[in-house]
Structures are given as structure tokens and as C-alpha cells.
Amino acid sequence: MTTVDSKGKARKKYPDDSMMTPYDKFKSLSNAVNYLKPGISLAALNQLAMRIKDLQAAQPLQQAKRTLFKPIHERRESS
């Protein structure tokens, strides 16, 4: 839902019940199976998704981001 504040700025508000992870949104598509690589099924993806928790999946991503951006942060600190 988009609302316009007194200054004319548009603000989007998303209801809590419509919030989804990218994977949940993908699964909700009516033709999701059409976007899968040959040999991959939604059942196989579900099994993989249930193997690890969201936090466990996010930790390697966060570590990779820290490694990627470390040189940038070091340059800023030394300036």
C-alpha cells in the first residue's frame, strides 16, 4: 500500500502477513517449476531449505560480505 505524506513523499507500507523470504515468494508463483533447471524439483529444493535454518544460511553470506568490503573499510579508516 502506498501513502503520500504531507510533504508529498510516497511511502510504501507492507502488511506483516505479506512478508516472505525470496524462496517463499518463488514457491508462491503459479509457474515456479518452469524457472527451475532441468533435473531440479520443488521437492528437492524444499528438502534443502529445511536442512538449514535461515540464520545458518545467512552467516556465510555475512562473512563473505565482510571479506568483500574489508578493503574499502580499511581505506576509509586510514584516510
Side-chain angles (χ1 to χ4, degrees):
M1 179 166 87
T2 305
T3 58
V4 180
D5 66 12
S6 61
K7 295 179 182 179
K9 186 171 182 174
R11 301 217 180 246
K12 292 190 179 217
K13 183 165 178 141
Y14 300 97
D16 290 339
D17 60 342
S18 69
M19 299 297 272
M20 292 186 234
T21 64
Y23 178 60
D24 288 333
K25 180 62 180 173
F26 175 74
K27 287 191 313 185
S28 74
L29 300 174
S30 61
N31 57 348
V33 283
N34 295 338
Y35 296 104
L36 296 174
K37 290 182 178 180
I40 303 293
S41 68
L42 278 176
L45 286 178
N46 280 328
Q47 193 174 36
L48 179 65
M50 294 300 135
R51 237 189 305 167
I52 59 173
K53 297 190 182 316
D54 292 342
L55 181 60
Q56 290 171 319
Q59 287 171 336
L61 174 66
Q62 293 299 324
Q63 182 58 42
K65 283 172 58 176
R66 280 192 290 274
T67 303
L68 177 66
F69 290 110
K70 185 177 179 180
I72 295 169
H73 294 301
E74 288 174 349
R75 262 188 298 187
R76 285 185 186 165
E77 291 171 359
S78 66
S79 297

